[in-house]
Amino acid sequence: MDLGVRWTLHGDGRTPAPGAVVRPDERLSWPRTAGLGAQHVVAMFGASFVAPVLMGLDPNLAIMMSGIATVIFLLATRGKVPSYLGCSLSFVGVAATIRATGGDSATVTGAVLVVGAALFVAGLAVQRFGARLIHATMPPIVTGAVVMLIGFNLAPVTASTYWPQDQWTALLVMLFTGLAVVCLRGFFSRIAIFLGLVFGYALSWALDRIFGKIHSSVGGQAVDHWRLDLSGVAKADWIGLPSFHAPSFEWSAILVALPVVIALIAENAGHVKAVGEMTGDPLDDRLGTAIAADGAASMLSTAVGGPPNTTYSENIGVMAATRVYSTAAYWAAAGFALLFGLCPKFGAVVAAIPGGVLGGITVILYGMIGLLGAQIWINADVDLRNPLNLVPAAAGIVIGVGGVSLKITDTFELGGIALGTIVVITGYHVLRAFAPAHMKERMQEQEPLLDAGTSSYDVKDAENAEGAPSRPGAGS
């Protein structure tokens, strides 16, 4: 059985020829492959370590299970889809919601395990019936709206939990990270979140030395505290296993988490498509396998107390910059992740990230997650002037972002992400069933439901109008 663990040496194993690419079944020399693996680990550091901290889970276990998840993915796809599976940020809002209603880490991982199972089943269905199944049940207007409400639902977490702990550090970290994303090039722009964490860490340490303790809100109470508390790092061992725990299952938590499966399907589909375009090998036939592998890996991770996993766009950026798509590099990255996971002191350093630093990072990070939904709309050329698209998306996003709830019984209610997702999906398909035929087509002639100034902008016309002021609310 071909498991995709044999590679042919590319050229002399040193540097690819100009314009050449190192294909998934090829590799460079083992020292260079190991170096590329380390580069992939660094690329996913920022998000993959921030996510478990934000979810209240063990970062050491998260990084270790990301390595195991990557191995599962590579074996399942027979080495055809180069990818690293890191901790998914899509579940941060879910974890915050579950904890706010009295749930603990076991409740969080139990709910997410069910999502992993749903993702696994979805992958098998796609493998059986093809990608058209996704397009029929979850068109771009639906997936974009769900991703958007998941990201923007996190805004209150930043505003009420992290930012108040140290507002000035948060502001400076936000500015630094924004500059890093925009101004840096190549690989360094891909690790901008990680660089922002390092900057914030150093800044917090310096401010503690200069100004001493800060008086700010932590856990809803104003107290004096160090910005950077490294007491846990001193107590941690250099070598040891991370902390494991079994999941527990509660229907209320499961219903909150289930909508995220849509975001994970969208992430996997986008990743497989992007890798196929970069390597020149269509990978549509691998989409179902990739989705199922991600689901299986997430089930394994959450079964022992770790976070769920998903394919990482940061690593796509590394491949695009290096033109090396060798899965051997990802095996090396998985090995490094396992080693980091067995170092509790390293995990303690991550867990000590100051709240103010997380405040600055999450302002950008959560917003970027939400705007990925808009990117899905743009790439699919979704027409938001069409009421069939606009109405369910608008209603679902406001419900998801605003935390609107629907009380079903005295002990059960739907709200936030879960209710918003249900409204988007069912609203779209129900409205489509009753909508006139012309709304079901791409309607260039459809009268916009929104004012033209807020729904479209003709750049060419604007350039031709000398001295004409731009319309209020117009986008560029």
Side-chain angles (χ1 to χ4, degrees), residues 218-241:
V218 177
Q221 293 183 338
V223 296
D224 291 326
H225 62 95
W226 295 108
R227 297 170 180 81
L228 178 61
D229 183 2
L230 297 175
S231 58
V233 177
K235 298 175 184 177
D237 296 327
W238 281 102
I239 300 176
L241 289 172

Side-chain angles (χ1 to χ4, degrees), residues 65-99:
M65 295 310 298
S66 75
I68 295 174
T70 300
V71 169
I72 292 173
F73 186 91
L74 293 173
L75 290 175
T77 58
R78 303 291 192 267
K80 301 296 184 182
V81 185
S83 179
Y84 192 93
L85 265 61
C87 181
S88 174
L89 281 159
S90 298
F91 288 91
V92 173
V94 167
T97 301
I98 293 173
R99 291 183 183 278

Side-chain angles (χ1 to χ4, degrees), residues 348-370:
V349 171
V350 176
I353 297 173
V357 176
L358 293 176
I361 292 292
T362 54
V363 162
I364 294 177
L365 201 57
Y366 292 168
M368 289 171 66
I369 294 172

Side-chain angles (χ1 to χ4, degrees), residues 313-326:
S313 60
E314 288 87 342
N315 299 96
I316 293 181
V318 173
M319 290 190 293
T322 61
R323 300 180 67 81
V324 177
Y325 307 104
S326 171

